[in-house]
Amino acid sequence: MIFKFKIADIVFEADIRYRYTYSIMKDFLADDSEESLFAFEITDEDLQKEKEFSPHELSDPMYESTAVYRKYIYRVMRDYDAFFFHCSSIAVGDKAIMFTAQSGTGKSTHRGLWLKNFPEKVRVINDDKPIIRKIDGRFYVYGTPWMGKEGMGENIRVPAYALCFLSRSPENYIGPIDTASIVAKALNQTVRPKEPELMGKLLDLLDGFISHVKCFDLRVNMDDDAALTAYRGILGGTNED
Amino acid sequence: MKIKDGFMLRQFGDDYIVVAVGDGSEDFNKLITLNSVGEFIYTQLKKDMTKEELTEAVIDKYEVERSVAERDIDVFLENLEKAGLLDG
């Protein structure tokens, strides 16, 4: 069946067959009146490709949902200055803060400490796979249907403010980060296109993104103090303001 | 020897990175970072040349002792080789 979705303010049609895909994407359905910018279908071949990419054995409905994301990502990277960035992203007011790291480092755990310590101030944009999009020279973080294990996220857009490269440490620390390691680390958190032209485009976008946001080296343990240290380092002052 | 086809070099601030593109990118998902000397050698090796020619080019550009240039080039080439970027 064909559905019209809107992700990162980009309207498109996807021909899907599984209820699971629809169920995770239904908060991102587009209005009927909105014009679709492109369309694609998910074929058996696409499902097979996802199976090959996936490190774990999953079901066909789950492969279909990741296939939708993959097709969408390549298309929007090419034409709409948007790219996928693997991170947990939260909003504090109109500032999006992203925590990125290899899987298993504790992005969601750290995000959880922010929610626990600043429940009134923090919203989760997307806990795993947000889209970053450049519009009129500014970068925005968008929620997507792919929200990670805990399914946390919303269909919202928030201006990108800070990007934290997260690692675990007994002591909590936040500080500046060396630019060379930023690009390398950032490129490891997105999908890399094969076509040289598209790769060039992605590198331009990443370069712009990294110069646009404040980047931090964030080393944390799992105590509440981790969120307090990060908050002060990123947003400044005491956390009472 | 030369750098294989299918890699892209880009500058970010003072640093350079090399990523795979094209069909090779499925086997090569690593990423290599270079400083400006590394970038010079990498760019030289876009065309086929011998180690002697490369050494001459580095000495010419950086005005270093031959022994220093040779040592640094050996280390660099070994790394390129290990990363699978080198042909011949």
Side-chain angles (χ1 to χ4, degrees), chain A residues 59 131 161:
Chain A
S59 62
I131 288 287
Y161 182 74

Side-chain angles (χ1 to χ4, degrees), chain A:
Chain A
M1 278 185 79
I2 297 172
F3 294 97
K4 199 188 276 183
F5 298 106
K6 180 155 89 170
I7 298 174
D9 286 328
I10 299 160
V11 180
F12 66 100
E13 282 171 334
D15 191 350
I16 55 176
R17 67 186 91 162
Y18 293 109
R19 180 177 288 274
Y20 172 78
T21 307
Y22 171 80
S23 73
I24 68 161
M25 294 184 71
K26 66 180 187 312
D27 290 345
F28 291 79
L29 284 167
D31 213 70
D32 265 347
S33 63
E34 294 180 278
E35 198 177 332
S36 167
L37 297 167
F38 57 88
F40 58 80
E41 63 172 324
I42 300 302
T43 62
D44 289 339
E45 198 183 314
D46 293 323
L47 297 184
Q48 188 55 38
K49 235 195 289 175
E50 291 304 314
K51 208 170 191 165
E52 285 159 21
F53 280 130
S54 174
H56 315 287
E57 181 81 19
L58 303 172
S59 62
D60 277 355
M62 286 167 117
Y63 291 136
E64 185 180 71
S65 85
T66 55
V68 171
Y69 201 30
R70 199 177 300 275
K71 285 205 155 171
Y72 165 84
I73 282 168
Y74 281 113
R75 188 58 199 261
V76 300
M77 196 192 294
R78 188 183 302 278
D79 296 330
Y80 301 98
D81 288 345
F83 63 98
F84 153 65
F85 197 72
H86 179 221
C87 67
S88 180
S89 51
I90 59 172
V92 177
D94 66 350
K95 294 185 169 86
I97 301 169
M98 292 156 275
F99 306 108
T100 189
Q102 297 298 344
S103 293
T105 307
K107 294 184 289 288
S108 294
T109 306
H110 185 67
R111 179 269 301 148
L113 290 174
W114 280 67
L115 275 185
K116 178 182 165 200
N117 287 282
F118 314 108
E120 308 292 314
K121 290 182 180 175
V122 174
R123 291 170 77 178
V124 179
I125 305 169
N126 183 285
D127 207 22
D128 194 42
K129 292 182 170 67
I131 288 287
I132 314 293
R133 188 174 175 200
K134 182 179 161 191
I135 300 171
D136 295 334
R138 290 166 190 272
F139 286 83
Y140 297 88
V141 184
Y142 281 91
T144 72
W146 299 272
M147 299 178 187
K149 287 190 197 99
E150 294 171 49
M152 296 201 70
E154 292 184 59
N155 188 357
I156 52 174
R157 129 181 155 161
V158 183
Y161 182 74
L163 174 58
C164 303
F165 292 86
L166 194 75
S167 58
R168 285 212 203 151
S169 150
E171 301 288 324
N172 293 310
Y173 163 85
I174 185 162
I177 188 163
D178 160 48
T179 54
S181 68
I182 289 180
V183 182
K185 285 178 177 175
L187 203 48
N188 281 327
Q189 301 301 335
T190 184
V191 294
R192 300 197 208 157
K194 276 168 72 171
E195 300 85 349
E197 194 192 326
L198 205 50
M199 179 57 115
K201 175 115 201 216
L202 173 64
L203 292 174
D204 285 341
L205 282 170
L206 270 181
D207 194 19
F209 173 57
I210 283 164
S211 350
H212 179 85
V213 295
K214 296 182 178 200
C215 293
F216 296 98
D217 174 2
L218 176 59
R219 305 173 201 173
V220 293
N221 58 32
M222 291 193 269
D223 300 333
D224 289 343
D225 178 59
L228 306 182
T229 301
Y231 189 109
R232 280 194 293 270
I234 298 162
L235 297 161
T238 65
N239 42 57
E240 302 305 320
D241 54 344

